[in-house]
Amino acid sequence: MLPKEIAQLAVQKLNKKLSNEIFLIIQNDRELMQAYLKAVEASGVESVNQQIGKEIKAAYQLVNINKREDDPSCTLIKSHQMFE
């Protein structure tokens, strides 16, 4: 396997769990978590999480795949869209 192929496969795996990873960063960063909680208080958890998901997708120019992660390790989300 060529290094390029290895990298592409690794990126594909990361893309599938990228939302979980971003939410973990928020969860584990005191300032981001405080901002997140204020946003949730103002707009509701579902709205905030959907908006964050859309920003992740846009930032990395990702494409949805027809699959969701229903058991993420982050406690801020119950599930998340998986990307390609």
Side-chain angles (χ1 to χ4, degrees):
M1 186 176 295
L2 297 172
K4 180 179 179 177
E5 294 169 320
I6 296 167
Q8 289 170 343
L9 290 173
V11 168
Q12 287 174 358
K13 288 183 181 217
L14 177 61
N15 287 349
K16 289 180 181 175
K17 62 180 187 173
L18 189 58
S19 293
N20 184 66
E21 297 300 318
I22 298 292
F23 277 98
L24 279 172
I25 290 169
I26 293 168
Q27 178 179 300
N28 294 322
D29 182 286
R30 182 168 293 184
E31 289 178 25
L32 289 174
M33 187 61 180
Q34 287 177 342
Y36 173 83
L37 291 173
K38 286 180 184 178
V40 166
E41 186 178 329
S43 301
V45 69
E46 188 173 319
S47 175
V48 170
N49 287 357
Q50 286 177 353
Q51 289 176 46
I52 291 172
K54 288 177 183 178
E55 288 300 317
I56 294 166
K57 182 179 176 181
Y60 292 94
Q61 300 174 348
L62 300 170
V63 176
N64 292 2
I65 61 174
N66 194 20
K67 190 171 181 187
R68 294 188 66 80
E69 170 59 61
D70 292 321
D71 190 27
S73 60
C74 180
T75 60
L76 300 179
I77 52 178
K78 294 179 184 174
S79 69
H80 67 81
Q81 177 65 51
M82 297 174 79
F83 300 113
E84 186 172 59

